[in-house]
Amino acid sequence: MATEDKNRATAAAILPLVGGAANVSSIAHCMTRLRLGLHDRSLVDDEALKAVPAVMGVVDDDTYQIVLGPGTVARVTPEFEQLVEEGRATAPDPGEAAPSVSAEELAAQGAAMKAERKAKNATPFKLFLRRIANIFVPLIPALIGCGIIAGLNGLLVNLGWLTSVTPALAAMASGFMALIAVFVGYNTAKEFGGTPILGGAVAAIIVFPGVANIEAFGQKLSPGQGGVLGALGAAVLAVYVEKWCRRWVPEALDVLVTPTLTVLVSGLVTIFGLMYVAGEVSTAIGTFADWLLSNGGAGAGFVLGGLFLPLVMLGLHQALIPIHTTLIEQQGYTVLLPILAMAGAGQVGAAAAVYFRLPRNESIRRTIKSALPAGLLGVGEPLIYGVSLPLGRPFITACVGGAFGGGFIGLFNQLGDKVGSTAIGPSGWALFPLLDGNHGLGTTVAIYAGGLLVGYFAGFLATYFFGFSKDLLAEFNVSQEPAESTVAASGAPAAPTTGPDSTPKEPAGV
C-alpha cells in the first residue's frame, strides 16, 4: 500500500470511531498526537481506536488525543482534516430526520459532559501549564530542524570539510534562534486572546539591535536580553493593554489608537523594565542549572531522571519547556533534556523485563514487541499506557531505571563533561543528532549512549527482580485470548482497567 493510501486509511479508520465528522470541533497535532476537540465524548469508541494498527494509545484530556507517533501524525492529520471537510460537506440536512431528542437537549448534554471533563483537569496551575505548552510546542519542529543543522555544521567545522558551505549552514541554524522571541510573542498573544501580530511586534523589541543604545537600571541593554521569558511577559502585557483599549477606545478610533497604544505602552514597559528583569531571571536559570549539575552531579541527575515519568503523567513536565528554551538561547543547548530522556530508557528496560517475566502472556509480549521500537526512539506512551502503568510496580521500577541513567549523565556533568541537546522534543535514540557539549561530539555521544545503557540495564534489573510480586506473576503469567492486545484488556479478574489519560485506580501488585 502506498504511503498516502496508508495514511488516508488510518484517518478513515479513526474518523467513525470518534463520532464522525459532525462530532469533530477542532483538529490539531503535536509531535506524536492527533488532538481533537469533540462535541460529544460519549460517541468515541476507545477500545476500537486502540485496536487501529497505527494507533499507539489514546489520552482523554482537554482535547481527545490519539497517539500516532512522530512522523505518522504529521501525515495522517492532513488526511483526517480532508475527510472531516468531506464528511461535513456531504452530511445530510439535520432537518431531514427527526431526532429522538431536541437539539437543545443534545446541546445541554454535550455541554454538561464537556464541563465535567474539563473540571477534572481545570486547576489553575494545569491550565497555566497547558497555555505554556500551547505557546512553545508549535516551535519544536523549527528547533529540531535548526538543531540538527547546527550539529551537522559543527561536525563539518571540526573536520574542516566544506568550508564554503558551513557559513550558510550556520546562518540557517542560528536564524530562527535569533528571532525566537518574536515567535514566542506571536504565539503568546494568540493563546491569551490578543492580536498575534501585536504580540510579535512588542516581542521584536527585545531582539532589535538598537536597544544596545538604551540604558535601563544604570546599564546598557543588549539585544536579546530577557530572551523568551521577556517575550512571554511583553506579549501578555500587550494582550491586557489591547483588551483595555478595546473596551474604552471609541470604535471610530479603534483601528488607529488601539494598536498604537498597545505597542507604545507595552513596549516602554518592556524596554525599561521587563528586559532587565527577565534577563536577570534567565541568567539565574542558567546559573542554577550549571550549579545544580556541577555540585549535585549524580544525585541531581538521579532525582531528575527518576521523577520525570511521574511529572509526565501529571502534565507538570510542561513547566520545563521555557527553561529548556532559555538554556538553549543562552548556552546553545539544554543540559537538562539528556538527563530527563533517561526516563524513557528506564521504561524500555522495564518493558524488556516484563517480556521475559511473563513468557506465557502472549498479549503483553505482543504489545511490548510492537511498542518497543517506538520506545527506543523516545515515544514512550505505548509502553507506559499499555504495559508498565497498568501493572503498577513496573512503572515504579521504570522510574528507578531512569534515575540511574540520569545519575550517570549527572556524574559526568559534575566531572566537567557537559551533555546537552540543541533542541527539545526528541528523546531516546532520536536525540543523538541533536547532542552537543563542551568536549567534542564523540565524548558527548559516548556519555549519552552510556546513560541509555545504564537506564536500560537498571530498568531491566529493577523490574525483573522487584517488579512482580508472587500474586502479580500468578495473575498475569498466564495465556491470554489472542484477540486481546493490551494489559488493560487481559481478561484477568483482578486486572485494572485503565484509561490512557489516568493512572490505574488500583495498580496490580503494588
Side-chain angles (χ1 to χ4, degrees):
M1 182 184 291
T3 302
E4 294 80 2
D5 294 338
K6 180 180 178 181
N7 295 329
R8 190 169 184 82
T10 299
I14 292 173
L15 183 56
L17 300 178
V18 295
N23 195 40
V24 178
S25 62
S26 65
I27 304 170
H29 74 87
C30 60
M31 288 290 296
T32 60
R33 304 179 185 186
L34 173 63
R35 297 170 178 260
L36 304 177
L38 300 175
H39 296 295
D40 187 349
R41 171 65 180 80
S42 67
L43 298 178
V44 178
D45 190 336
D46 294 307
E47 296 306 318
L49 272 171
K50 295 174 191 176
V52 174
V55 174
M56 299 176 176
V58 295
V59 177
D60 187 9
D61 201 351
D62 190 46
T63 57
Y64 190 78
Q65 303 166 20
I66 302 171
V67 183
L68 298 172
T72 301
V73 69
R75 291 168 174 80
V76 171
T77 300
E79 301 290 346
F80 187 85
E81 290 174 334
Q82 185 176 348
L83 288 174
V84 169
E85 289 301 319
E86 293 172 358
R88 289 171 178 168
T90 59
D93 187 346
E96 294 179 4
S100 57
V101 294
S102 69
E104 290 79 5
E105 289 174 330
L106 285 175
Q109 291 173 12
M113 293 176 65
K114 188 174 183 180
E116 183 181 356
R117 290 198 310 273
K118 282 189 174 182
K120 294 187 294 185
N121 297 295
T123 63
F125 186 59
K126 282 194 173 183
L127 289 175
F128 171 75
L129 293 181
R130 189 173 293 125
R131 282 189 161 182
I132 293 296
N134 290 341
I135 293 167
F136 286 92
V137 167
L139 306 179
I140 289 177
L143 284 168
I144 292 173
C146 295
I148 291 176
I149 293 173
L152 175 62
N153 184 62
L155 179 62
L156 293 175
V157 169
N158 290 335
L159 295 174
W161 294 354
L162 301 176
T163 54
S164 61
V165 176
T166 51
L169 292 177
M172 296 175 198
S174 304
F176 173 74
M177 288 306 302
L179 298 174
I180 190 173
V182 180
F183 295 101
V184 169
Y186 183 96
N187 287 349
T188 300
K190 181 179 179 181
E191 178 63 24
F192 281 83
T195 302
I197 197 64
L198 291 179
V202 174
I205 297 170
I206 292 173
V207 296
F208 177 60
V211 298
N213 300 318
I214 302 172
E215 187 174 301
F217 294 95
Q219 64 181 42
K220 291 281 188 179
L221 296 177
S222 58
Q225 185 173 338
V228 295
L229 297 182
L232 185 67
V236 169
L237 175 62
V239 169
Y240 281 102
V241 173
E242 181 188 0
K243 288 182 177 180
W244 184 89
C245 291
R246 299 289 185 202
R247 285 198 304 269
W248 296 101
V249 173
E251 291 185 7
L253 300 176
D254 181 71
V255 69
L256 297 175
V257 175
T258 297
T260 303
L261 284 180
T262 299
V263 175
L264 179 63
V265 173
S266 54
L268 288 172
V269 174
T270 298
I271 292 172
F272 293 106
L274 280 178
M275 284 186 66
Y276 176 82
V277 173
E280 293 299 305
V281 173
S282 298
T283 301
I285 289 173
T287 302
F288 178 74
D290 288 339
W291 175 87
L292 180 66
L293 295 179
S294 296
N295 295 277
F302 190 91
V303 172
L304 291 171
L307 291 181
F308 190 61
L309 279 181
L311 287 178
V312 171
M313 296 304 303
L314 295 172
L316 301 180
H317 65 296
Q318 296 169 345
L320 297 172
I321 297 177
I323 296 175
H324 287 311
T325 310
T326 298
L327 291 175
I328 292 171
E329 256 192 329
Q330 287 184 341
Q331 304 174 1
Y333 51 80
T334 168
V335 293
L336 298 179
L337 186 58
I339 291 175
L340 301 177
M342 295 302 106
Q347 181 66 58
V348 168
V354 172
Y355 184 88
F356 286 105
R357 288 289 273 165
L358 303 178
R360 298 177 184 173
N361 194 316
E362 302 90 351
S363 171
I364 295 178
R365 288 163 66 90
R366 188 164 52 248
T367 298
I368 293 172
K369 283 193 292 186
S370 64
L372 203 57
L376 291 169
L377 292 173
V379 182
E381 287 98 333
L383 291 175
I384 294 174
Y385 296 125
V387 181
S388 65
L389 190 59
L391 286 172
R393 278 195 186 183
F395 180 78
I396 298 172
T397 53
C399 295
V400 172
F404 276 96
F408 180 87
I409 294 183
L411 175 62
F412 278 91
N413 271 277
Q414 188 173 15
L415 296 175
D417 292 307
K418 290 186 178 181
V419 178
S421 170
T422 56
I424 57 177
S427 183
W429 293 2
L431 197 62
F432 277 111
L434 298 169
L435 292 177
D436 196 3
N438 61 341
H439 281 128
L441 185 60
T443 301
T444 303
V445 168
I447 295 172
Y448 181 72
L452 287 177
L453 290 175
V454 170
Y456 294 153
F457 281 110
F460 181 90
L461 294 174
T463 305
Y464 193 89
F465 291 107
F466 305 106
F468 290 88
S469 64
K470 291 182 179 180
D471 291 340
L472 193 63
L473 274 176
E475 180 180 338
F476 283 99
N477 192 24
V478 293
S479 181
Q480 305 291 306
E481 289 294 328
E484 296 175 337
S485 59
T486 63
V487 173
S490 64
T497 300
T498 60
D501 64 336
S502 62
T503 57
K505 293 181 181 178
E506 199 170 332
V510 176

